Amino acid sequence: MLAKLSKRRCVITAAVGLALLVGALPTTAADRDRSELSRFYEQKVTWSGCRGMDAATDLQCGKVTVPLDYAKPSSGTLDLALARYRSYGKPRGSVLLNFGGPGAAGVGELAADGDGFMGLAKGYDVVSFDPRGVGRSSPVSCGDGTDEALAATEDGDDPRALLRQLRRVAAACAEHSGPVLPHIGTVNASRDMDIMRAALGDRKLNYLGFSYGTRLGAVYAAQFPEKVGRLVLDGVDTLTEPLTEQSRVGAEGQQTALDDFVDWCTEDIACPFGQDSRKAREQVVRLVDSLDEDPVPTDWGDTFSGQDLVGAIGQALYSRELWPLLERAVAQLVEDGDTRGIEAFASGGTALPHRAEPDRPKTTGAKTEGARTEGAETDDPGTHAGLADEDEVPLDNLPAALMAINCADDPDRPTADAIARDLGRLRTEYEEASPVFGRYRLTEVLTCYGRPKGTDYIREEVRDVDTPKMLLVGTRGDPATPYRWTVETAKRLGDSAVVLDNKGDGHTGYTSSRCVQRKVDAFLLYGSLPPSGSSCGPEEDDR
């Protein structure tokens, strides 16, 4: 899947993951012996100012401690990073936000885009978090493995060479990610959210999830139906389609969004691709190919390739508000060889990321600390992974986490025989879906090769949930999560699902449509649900 919503920061997504080992996961929350988990549920979050971040002074940061392995709660623990804005009205608890990805770091997203959610602070503390493996919460990394996988898919016609390279990629991810990698994925992230709910002092979980965050919310509803408060899923992900289909659909959607961007850009005399939209589309493909053949150096001592450009463009296309920034960034790249503007998108945002010094070794997972969150102390000998510092988050954490989580969530694995047999056909299908994004998205699928089977819990068990009504928002022109996924997921979830049809464009609706925002806020704050099947027009008219 693909990721996120926000006005300024968008996460490339639609993608796929790479989990080397997927630990055995129980099929329902009720299967766990609560006595083993009670110490985690009894903790309380201690809040303080957010250090080392460019954030508003009223943003507070904290952490919550969770088991590394829910099947063996005494084997080790992780700290997960939290951030919140306090309610300025009569508080009724918290609303938890997930910005998508998978791989979006919620603490940084809330720091950057918190103003867009202050309407919810009338009644709630507005809280977000870095899921396990993401941001400061034991960040995963593949080193240079992702770039190597892209190079392997380009190189040719020998599937055996590709398979050898994919195995090396898997080993690189294991080497750089640390002990969290076998326990990454949405089923465990959902369990983490229930511990957060308790640590925040909430009897029920109130939740707003975007893109991948809708998958996380649906899994929570299936695992903890009795703890569901008011849930909103915006930009609804599929729960059933295999990664091969998700990525192909994602490539098609991104190509449509790119064509729209090019049409818009060529109306501007400053467009780096000229004023002829047909020729401009061809120029985009040539630019990607030329950068793959001859990557340009960056200020950080590495290089920027055509596939780096594809990833950056993919992120920028999820919001029309980012198009002027994308136009300028590409112009800087084409005219001056300046990668700084486009690298901001490649790293998952529109502001330049914090970079480690060029001679600093890449982080290989979160540091181990002795301190634990209040209330979660334990005498067990297991390891404890504390929060990573901002400058310890690997530069490739976003794509590495996206790959790891999506693979962990999907039970399908391409076999060696299937890859050898189907590689040519898949390349053709993906290239037809998008001459720009096809190769990138196919690589996301292939990087699952050789990994143990992911969980089948999402595909088999997340259905017919017995929860209070939840609101699902689907956007007709969404390039990442097509509207049909909203309809299909609503049917799958059953009578609890209420659908709001947003007849606009862009990935998700909350920050692009005042109509959607009003209806979502009314539900979260006051429990006022629109009738199922009601809509918001493209000009934000209520219908």
Side-chain angles (χ1 to χ4, degrees), residues 431-449:
E431 285 294 321
E432 289 176 351
S434 171
V436 174
F437 297 99
R439 175 185 159 205
Y440 195 97
R441 303 310 294 271
L442 177 58
T443 301
E444 294 170 347
V445 174
L446 294 176
T447 49
C448 285
Y449 166 72

Side-chain angles (χ1 to χ4, degrees), residues 183-467:
H183 307 289
I184 205 167
T186 301
V187 174
N188 276 343
S190 169
R191 295 185 178 280
D192 294 342
M193 284 208 308
D194 198 53
I195 289 177
M196 290 178 209
R197 172 199 58 76
L200 292 169
D202 294 329
R203 189 174 63 87
K204 303 279 188 178
L205 178 73
N206 302 304
Y207 177 79
L208 174 56
F210 299 97
S211 192
Y212 160 77
T214 69
R215 187 197 311 170
L216 181 57
V219 170
Y220 184 89
Q223 287 185 302
F224 301 97
E226 74 284 357
K227 298 300 183 183
V228 169
R230 296 170 184 170
L231 262 65
V232 178
L233 312 181
D234 185 0
V236 181
D237 194 7
T238 179
L239 299 174
T240 57
E241 290 189 357
L243 290 175
T244 50
E245 179 63 13
Q246 290 183 46
S247 289
R248 189 190 63 78
V249 168
E252 287 179 344
Q254 286 181 298
Q255 186 64 48
T256 298
L258 177 60
D259 291 344
D260 291 343
F261 166 75
V262 168
D263 290 341
W264 170 88
C265 182
T266 53
E267 294 178 359
D268 182 0
I269 192 66
C271 180
F273 303 117
Q275 277 64 61
D276 184 310
S277 59
R278 181 182 62 82
K279 292 181 179 179
R281 291 185 179 91
E282 295 172 354
Q283 285 193 43
V284 174
V285 176
R286 286 197 294 270
L287 178 61
V288 170
D289 290 344
S290 67
L291 286 171
D292 278 333
E293 292 176 5
D294 187 18
V296 297
T298 73
D299 289 348
W300 308 103
D302 52 9
T303 58
F304 191 83
S305 70
Q307 295 309 301
D308 292 328
L309 177 62
V310 171
I313 292 174
Q315 295 186 30
L317 291 176
Y318 291 122
S319 171
R320 285 180 178 266
E321 295 185 16
L322 294 173
W323 288 6
L325 295 175
L326 176 62
E327 180 186 24
R328 290 195 292 273
V330 173
Q332 290 173 341
L333 176 66
V334 171
E335 296 166 7
D336 304 321
D338 185 348
T339 63
R340 288 176 295 176
I342 199 68
E343 279 189 284
F345 290 109
S347 64
T350 58
L352 285 175
H354 184 98
R355 295 265 191 163
E357 293 301 319
D359 59 350
R360 178 175 182 161
K362 197 164 273 188
T363 302
T364 58
K367 59 187 178 182
T368 299
E369 297 177 349
R372 289 179 168 85
T373 303
E374 180 182 354
E377 278 81 1
T378 175
D379 294 327
D380 71 76
T383 60
H384 175 72
L387 297 181
D389 293 333
E390 284 291 309
D391 60 359
E392 293 180 314
V393 179
L395 302 184
D396 74 324
N397 177 239
L398 171 61
L402 181 145
M403 289 191 296
I405 294 166
N406 277 339
C407 259
D409 284 0
D410 192 280
D412 297 326
R413 288 293 181 272
T415 64
D417 289 343
I419 290 176
R421 181 184 67 244
D422 298 335
L423 184 58
R425 175 183 60 80
L426 288 172
R427 279 177 174 157
T428 299
E429 289 181 0
Y430 275 71
E431 285 294 321
E432 289 176 351
S434 171
V436 174
F437 297 99
R439 175 185 159 205
Y440 195 97
R441 303 310 294 271
L442 177 58
T443 301
E444 294 170 347
V445 174
L446 294 176
T447 49
C448 285
Y449 166 72
R451 311 304 186 261
K453 177 182 177 181
T455 181
D456 58 7
Y457 178 83
I458 299 172
R459 190 176 295 177
E460 299 298 328
E461 303 296 333
V462 183
R463 61 170 74 239
D464 299 319
V465 296
D466 184 15
T467 68

